[in-house]
Amino acid sequence: MTQHTQAQKEIAKKIDSDTVIANWKDWRWQLKHSIGDIDTFETLLGIKFKPGEKDKLKQTLEKFPLSVTPYYLSLIDAEDFRNDPIFLQAFPSPKELDIDEDDLEDPLSEDEDSPVEGITHRYPDRVLFHISNTCSMYCRHCTRKRKVGDVDSIPTKDAVSEGLEYIRNTPQVRDVLLSGGDPLMLPDAYLDWILTKLREIPHVEIIRIGTRMPVVLPYRVTDDLVEILKKHHPLWINTHFNHPREVTASSREALRKLADAGIPLGNQTVLLSGVNDCHRIMKRLVQKLVQNRVRPYYLYQCDLSEGLSHFRTPVGKGIEIMEHLIGHTSGFAVPTYVIDAPHGGGKIPVMPSYLISWSSNRVILRNYEGVITSYKEPDSYEPIYCDRKCEECKLQLKLDDAAEYKSTGIAKLLADHDEIVSLVPEDTERMERRDVE
């Protein structure tokens, strides 16, 4: 007999009837019974909002809709729901209508870096491939609020085919991240078709899937789905746990199935005010993740998307949390803290500084305890001048795929083979003066 929590039993009964308990772990049943209005939310959770508050909540839903699975709803502590981390991620707040002057509809300029519909090509060797705009739950902190839930902008098969064609014709792309929405909202056969087409492209080495299903709808990770994913190795999955309360028996089972299938698992957490901006919470989260074979990958500073200002913390809070993780728990349990720079600047690590100073032959470092030490540099080091003539180099490269592409950014300044000595932003006043002269 399937085991259920008391909260799940109560919610299931209110949704349908006693017989619905047998269907609780059917992911399609969960989607069919997703909660999308405030009245149903109140009824199932056994709470009541004040009339004035309810009016403001309904105004919020007109701009940013609500959708939460019965499973995820059942994790909310109804006795203290206003402070509950699950509630805060799932239920709308009137604060979402407070649009700051720095908020952006597309904060990461994904649309501007889109050569064809559905593809964001920002980094040299990898692309983001939007194959779904629907999710099993609409996270209140979503950076793509402009798209998620918009039934009029669901990618068509023709659009997906165009994205595949772009990847096929762009040989520097070796890594494809399937994203959305949530790619696992697609039917098994359609997802299998996309993965098969990607695997047919010789230069695509790695396929990644970004999904929150193990968190909000773990029953989507069926045996059939896992069998499909196993066919397309090397395949990686990044999921999105934000709080240790989300690591339940059901989510652990979903992670176990994926890990047992040989799929490396990573996690991307968003730092959210009132949810996880506490080093004790974050430390317990990363420890629970590695216990379930999930490598903490990124800790994201909350993006500048419209209506997220109430979720954002100072960057200093993130640095404080990292100080409590580095050295205080296993190294592979420590994520990289990043800001995804506005206007398409990409992910920028903003980690604590452990390099205090350096001279021509010594580096001064400090550790997590505050111990200050020195590292002796080599007295004699003969640098290897790189002119990109790899066949003449004494270092044994001998790679079977030693194709080279142009250096970009700081790497360009460091390159021996490139004569450029500075990177200058365009359209500055200084550059305008030069143009005049």
Side-chain angles (χ1 to χ4, degrees):
M1 179 65 182
T2 301
Q3 297 297 312
H4 303 275
T5 67
Q6 188 58 38
Q8 290 172 349
K9 291 178 181 178
E10 292 300 320
I11 288 174
K13 288 179 181 178
K14 291 176 182 177
I15 290 175
D16 203 331
S17 65
D18 291 347
T19 58
V20 86
I21 290 290
N23 297 318
W24 180 265
K25 293 194 174 185
D26 182 337
W27 69 277
R28 293 181 180 84
W29 179 92
Q30 287 275 338
L31 288 177
K32 181 180 178 181
H33 292 89
S34 291
I35 297 91
D37 64 275
I38 298 170
D39 292 337
T40 305
F41 198 99
E42 287 180 314
T43 299
L44 296 180
L45 204 58
I47 61 174
K48 272 291 181 183
F49 298 104
K50 296 177 181 178
E53 181 183 17
K54 200 168 181 178
D55 291 339
K56 291 181 179 178
L57 290 171
K58 289 182 177 179
Q59 291 175 16
T60 306
L61 293 192
E62 291 176 5
K63 183 172 178 63
F64 301 121
L66 163 70
S67 181
V68 56
T69 60
Y71 162 80
Y72 199 66
L73 180 78
S74 73
L75 306 184
I76 297 173
D77 179 4
E79 298 300 317
D80 187 23
F81 69 91
R82 293 187 185 276
N83 296 313
D84 186 272
I86 312 301
F87 174 83
L88 293 172
Q89 294 180 73
F91 195 75
S93 165
K95 294 178 181 178
E96 293 176 45
L97 297 180
D98 297 334
I99 310 298
D100 285 359
E101 62 179 358
D102 293 322
D103 286 357
L104 301 166
E105 184 180 20
D106 179 16
L108 308 182
S109 296
E110 291 179 324
D111 295 340
E112 291 184 28
D113 285 328
S114 180
V116 299
E117 182 181 349
I119 294 288
T120 298
H121 193 170
R122 174 166 297 139
Y123 300 101
D125 70 341
R126 52 206 183 276
V127 297
L128 188 75
F129 194 1
H130 298 257
I131 60 173
S132 168
N133 278 336
T134 58
C135 293
S136 59
M137 190 190 89
Y138 299 157
C139 301
R140 308 317 303 179
H141 57 279
C142 182
T143 194
R144 295 190 188 125
K145 280 190 167 188
R146 70 191 187 280
K147 287 186 175 182
V148 174
D150 184 358
V151 296
D152 295 326
S153 64
I154 295 175
T156 63
K157 192 168 185 178
D158 286 343
V160 171
S161 295
E162 187 177 0
L164 289 167
E165 188 64 17
Y166 175 83
I167 295 169
R168 190 175 295 112
N169 295 329
T170 313
Q172 62 264 43
V173 174
R174 51 167 289 278
D175 180 352
V176 177
L177 171 59
L178 300 181
S179 187
D182 196 312
L184 298 191
M185 285 290 285
L186 300 178
D188 287 359
Y190 187 33
L191 183 61
D192 188 24
W193 176 77
I194 294 173
L195 292 170
T196 299
K197 291 299 180 182
L198 284 171
R199 273 283 154 251
E200 291 173 353
I201 302 174
H203 55 265
V204 173
E205 299 174 4
I206 297 170
I207 301 172
R208 291 183 284 163
I209 296 176
T211 177
R212 210 178 182 208
M213 287 296 193
V215 185
V216 299
L217 185 52
Y219 313 130
R220 173 63 182 102
V221 184
T222 62
D223 293 340
D224 289 342
L225 175 64
V226 171
E227 286 301 312
I228 287 173
L229 298 177
K230 283 170 60 177
K231 297 190 315 183
H232 302 287
H233 281 308
L235 180 76
W236 297 59
I237 286 181
N238 283 328
T239 188
H240 180 32
F241 288 85
N242 285 331
H243 195 279
R245 284 257 309 280
E246 294 172 326
V247 185
T248 66
S250 295
S251 66
R252 288 195 297 269
E253 175 63 12
L255 296 172
R256 181 198 65 76
K257 288 181 179 181
L258 294 170
D260 284 353
I263 300 172
L265 303 175
N267 186 73
Q268 302 182 143
T269 294
V270 178
L271 182 56
L272 299 170
S273 175
V275 174
N276 57 17
D277 51 335
C278 163
H279 63 84
R280 293 182 64 190
I281 289 175
M282 203 64 73
K283 183 177 178 180
R284 191 67 193 115
L285 172 61
V286 299
Q287 290 174 339
K288 279 194 168 188
L289 289 170
V290 296
Q291 187 179 3
N292 288 278
R293 294 181 281 177
V294 181
R295 174 74 184 269
Y297 181 28
Y298 284 136
L299 172 62
Y300 277 102
Q301 179 69 10
C302 190
D303 288 333
L304 294 173
S305 293
E306 290 183 339
L308 300 190
S309 59
H310 62 294
F311 275 132
R312 288 196 281 273
T313 70
V315 173
K317 172 56 70 173
I319 297 293
E320 174 193 337
I321 288 173
M322 295 307 298
E323 289 278 16
H324 283 85
L325 293 180
I326 298 172
H328 295 273
T329 192
S330 308
F332 58 80
V334 179
T336 300
Y337 179 38
V338 296
I339 296 176
D340 214 339
H343 306 295
K347 301 174 186 66
I348 301 173
V350 281
M351 303 291 277
S353 178
Y354 295 91
L355 175 62
I356 295 177
S357 189
W358 67 95
S359 67
S360 58
N361 62 357
R362 284 190 182 272
V363 176
I364 309 303
L365 308 163
R366 62 98 175 177
N367 78 346
Y368 74 100
E369 299 168 306
V371 173
I372 297 176
T373 187
S374 67
Y375 172 83
K376 178 71 168 58
E377 295 274 48
D379 291 325
S380 176
Y381 170 67
E382 296 182 7
I384 295 175
Y385 178 80
C386 181
D387 56 7
R388 290 287 175 102
K389 295 178 180 178
C390 298
E391 66 280 359
E392 299 175 8
C393 181
K394 69 179 182 180
L395 293 176
Q396 294 189 10
L397 185 64
K398 295 183 179 179
L399 302 180
D400 58 0
D401 52 354
E404 287 284 351
Y405 298 96
K406 293 181 179 179
S407 299
T408 303
I410 302 301
K412 191 178 184 72
L413 292 179
L414 293 172
D416 294 323
H417 57 82
D418 201 308
E419 296 181 358
I420 188 171
V421 295
S422 64
L423 296 176
V424 182
E426 296 180 357
D427 302 326
T428 64
E429 291 184 8
R430 187 161 63 93
M431 290 298 103
E432 289 179 0
R433 287 195 298 271
R434 285 185 177 184
D435 291 340
V436 172
E437 293 171 0

